Amino acid sequence: PQVWEVINRPEKVTVQALDQNGKPFTLEADGFLARRFGGESNIGRLLDPLADKLMQCTVLICLAMHGILPMWFVIPYMIKEAAMLLGGIFMLKKKDVVVKSRWYGKATCVFFYAVIVAVAIIIIVSGDNIEPVKPIIYTLCAVTLAMTVAAMVCYFISYFINPKKEVFTNVPEDR
């Protein structure tokens, strides 16, 4: 329903982008509580990252549809997220392990959400005329994309080229 509202009512895009940006913090709290109190499961290890990726891509698509974010940022970002998801599925199927997130992945995610909040604030402040601030938005997108690609390369090295035991979680039985 929120996505449909943003598509049909462009003035809602920044409000929804800000609303979506609060959700990763609740998801992180949920993960912490599950680990702390032994409530982890294989399905949670797989669905939590999927939910994060779907939320990020939804925000990007909505902002791009209204000409706020450039497609040269959105498309590679979505391809990278799909590649990371497929890599995680590959590791689960072929090696029977669930990949752990690393500090560089979390840092990139935090930066991504900070950029989306910054873009939403820039749009709110600039009003209907975002043309003068597009260079700022594009610069933020370029830095985010560079960090995203760097994190993906680091994950690839960690999991495929130079794997160490501490980066994997053996797949236990679901509780």
Side-chain angles (χ1 to χ4, degrees), residues 25-110:
F25 301 107
T26 59
L27 290 172
E28 192 63 35
D30 173 55
F32 170 77
L33 292 172
R35 288 186 297 278
R36 175 83 167 102
F37 296 107
E40 293 177 283
S41 67
N42 288 338
I43 194 75
R45 286 185 189 102
L46 295 173
L47 291 181
D48 277 353
L50 176 62
D52 290 345
K53 290 174 188 340
L54 290 174
M55 182 172 52
Q56 289 173 354
C57 290
T58 301
V59 169
L60 291 177
I61 290 168
C62 288
L63 290 171
M65 286 179 65
H66 295 291
I68 296 166
L69 293 181
M71 292 307 288
W72 59 257
F73 171 66
V74 175
I75 292 171
Y77 193 90
M78 292 175 59
I79 290 170
K80 176 262 181 191
E81 291 300 334
M84 294 290 288
L85 185 62
L86 292 173
I89 292 169
F90 171 81
M91 294 300 285
L92 178 64
K93 295 286 184 190
K94 297 293 182 186
K95 302 197 179 214
D96 203 32
V97 293
V98 176
V99 294
K100 290 182 183 178
S101 60
R102 308 290 290 169
W103 69 267
Y104 40 81
K106 289 192 178 281
T108 302
C109 187
V110 168

Side-chain angles (χ1 to χ4, degrees), residues 13-14 17-18 21 59-60 63-64 67-70 73 111-127 130 133-134 136-141 144:
V13 72
T14 52
L18 289 171
N21 277 298
V59 169
L60 291 177
L63 290 171
I68 296 166
L69 293 181
F73 171 66
F111 189 79
F112 169 86
Y113 284 112
V115 165
I116 297 301
V117 168
V119 167
I121 291 169
I122 289 168
I123 293 165
I124 290 167
V125 170
S126 66
I130 66 165
V133 295
K134 276 195 174 178
I136 297 169
I137 293 171
Y138 287 8
T139 301
L140 291 171
C141 289
T144 304

